[in-house]
Amino acid sequence: MQIDLAQHLGSLLHGHVGLIRRADGVQPVRLPAGERRLHDPFTRWMAAMTAGIRLRLVTDSPWLRLSTTQHQAYLIRPGQWPARYELFVDGQPAGRFVARGGAQRAPEGPLIGDPEAELDLGGWSPGTRRIELWFPQGATVALRRIAIADGARLEPWPDPRPVIVFHGSSITHGVEVESGSGSWPSVAAGLAGAQAVNLGWAGSCLMSGLAARIVRDRPADRIVLELGINVWGEGLLKERTFADAAHAMLAIIREGHPDTPVTVVSPIFSPSREACGEAGGLSLQRMRAILAGVVADRVAIGDRRIAALSGLDLLGPSEARSLPDGLHPNLAAYRRIGARFHAAVLAAPDAGPPAAPPGA
């Protein structure tokens, strides 16, 4: 029996921002579908990847089958990043799966392979089951069909947990992680009993007004902004424009979330980028200082629901070996970052507004 995607998909999917209805299926994306032309092609590509997007349903079917159109992304070589689905049944891990079929694609490169793909899931014991299926971090997926056993029922499984919206770079996106629950936002939110909306865009966290508007318009109980590393390359922002961009992002977000707690996370350690910038841009050391100052300034003018967290508290110089390419954490380090963020920010009791800086 096939599920009517037009009627049900919006209530079955979680973690997306928009849905694009195509001839080859319905594609969840992490930006507003009607505004995707406003973003540059690379950002559109990254925001189309299904990082943190989940299918949640209740069914008495003993199996579930997804027919999709899948493009697995890569920059250097096909298969560079995993494209694994992760299944939980009644809250318990039930395996990671790779779809049969699917194509590979680099940005502006040719399509390699047939994009049509099939994913067969099942084998759970009889009875009504709560199913949560995490989509791949490093692929785009359009759903063509969802099928269950004849006579079985299927209902949405709402997620009532608090919502934490994360925006950041590839480190937040987590394209390298084995599956969706392994990104640091997923780890941190899971430990806190919350759900993560992952708006990490690899290579595309440019501290932009367009990104800020998306965060502004999302329901959120907490907002986390991991800023800086994507504007290091080519020196995209200088001393004055970096601080201005950070203030502008926060001002836009506050339009929709005047009282929502916001944590600004500066870059984690990256050995070759610490003390020098590129093309006249800022070093990571300078970015951390500016972001701390931006947050202090906003506290000084009355924002008592914002705080800064140094990325060095999440991954510092003593853990350089955890950065295989000098920039991106390995799988274990992603989980450590999530656990450390949880301990530093989410597990701390609400002690009230932060103290104003001296002289405020």
Side-chain angles (χ1 to χ4, degrees), residues 170-313:
S170 58
I171 295 165
T172 293
H173 184 152
V175 289
E176 304 95 345
V177 300
E178 291 182 334
S179 55
S181 69
S183 70
W184 80 262
S186 296
V187 171
L191 289 171
Q195 55 177 307
V197 174
N198 189 335
L199 302 184
W201 298 342
S204 292
C205 181
L206 305 179
M207 298 170 64
S208 74
L210 285 173
R213 290 176 67 249
I214 296 172
V215 177
R216 178 194 67 188
D217 296 340
R218 302 305 302 161
D221 297 289
R222 181 177 289 273
I223 294 166
V224 182
L225 306 172
E226 176 251 316
L227 304 177
I229 192 65
N230 282 157
V231 298
W232 183 91
E234 303 178 37
L236 292 181
L237 292 176
K238 314 301 184 185
E239 185 90 11
R240 292 176 64 194
T241 54
F242 185 90
D244 183 81
H247 275 302
M249 277 199 83
L250 291 164
I252 292 169
I253 289 168
R254 279 293 183 230
E255 293 172 354
H257 292 279
D259 300 312
T260 303
V262 174
T263 304
V264 177
V265 182
S266 61
I268 65 171
F269 183 68
S270 180
S272 64
R273 299 166 177 83
E274 287 296 316
C276 63
E278 188 173 76
L282 303 172
S283 69
L284 297 192
Q285 292 173 351
R286 186 64 186 136
M287 287 183 187
R288 294 188 193 102
I290 293 173
L291 287 171
V294 164
V295 171
D297 288 341
R298 302 196 75 81
V299 172
I301 65 170
D303 190 340
R304 296 296 195 261
R305 301 291 283 170
I306 190 169
L309 179 67
S310 171
L312 298 182
D313 292 337

Side-chain angles (χ1 to χ4, degrees), residues 317-337:
S318 66
E319 298 171 281
R321 291 185 179 179
S322 296
L323 302 166
D325 61 358
L327 176 62
H328 298 95
N330 60 28
L331 301 181
Y334 273 118
R335 291 193 172 274
R336 289 202 304 276
I337 289 171

